[in-house]
Amino acid sequence: MKLPSLDPRELLAIFCGGLVGALGRIALVEALPTAPGSWPWSTFIANVAGALLLGYFVTRLQERLPLSAYRRPFIGTGVCGALTTFSAMQLELLEMLGTGHALLALAYAAASVGAGWLSVSLAAGLVRRAALVR
């Protein structure tokens, strides 16, 4: 079985995008610390913002802009991948459940999935609508 060849420039784009996304995530965590048993705003905002960015940029890059080998890995895999964090959400949900905050966990899970889906849909729709206007 042959391994896929790696493009060093694509890896650099992912790395640089990941740096940007991780710094944004750290800034959110620092600005909005979460107390145990409370709504984890930093993770929620990061995940919703990442879904919004992903919906906007992936749709725009795929449907509106000339093909580029590095924009999508930079933004989609790098920035959005490092900004959003499904694993942190899972840990927060387990912590909520473990401390007896089942209703909060349920609300947080539903709001995260719902707001993420709405964000992707809204952003993609706005890009497509702008294409129709022109």
Side-chain angles (χ1 to χ4, degrees):
M1 180 174 165
K2 183 179 176 186
L3 293 175
S5 62
L6 300 175
D7 179 352
R9 292 172 294 185
E10 184 176 358
L11 292 175
L12 181 62
I14 294 168
F15 174 81
C16 291
L19 178 65
V20 171
L23 291 173
R25 174 105 175 91
I26 290 169
L28 276 171
V29 169
E30 293 291 322
L32 303 167
T34 302
S38 64
W39 191 273
W41 284 107
S42 61
T43 303
F44 182 78
I45 291 169
N47 288 343
V48 173
L52 186 74
L53 290 171
L54 194 62
Y56 177 81
F57 284 110
V58 168
T59 305
R60 184 156 173 80
L61 291 173
Q62 191 166 334
E63 297 179 8
R64 303 279 322 250
L65 294 176
L67 289 178
S68 165
Y70 309 112
R71 287 185 201 141
R72 199 160 154 182
F74 175 81
I75 295 169
T77 306
V79 174
C80 293
L83 176 64
T84 61
T85 175
F86 187 72
S87 59
M89 185 180 94
Q90 297 307 306
L91 289 173
E92 290 160 350
L93 287 169
L94 287 174
E95 181 182 315
M96 288 175 196
L97 291 171
T99 57
H101 297 95
L103 194 55
L104 180 64
L106 180 64
Y108 177 52
S112 294
V113 172
W117 181 80
L118 285 172
S119 295
V120 167
S121 298
L122 175 68
L126 288 174
V127 170
R128 289 182 178 127
R129 185 170 324 206
L132 295 174
V133 173
R134 289 183 177 192

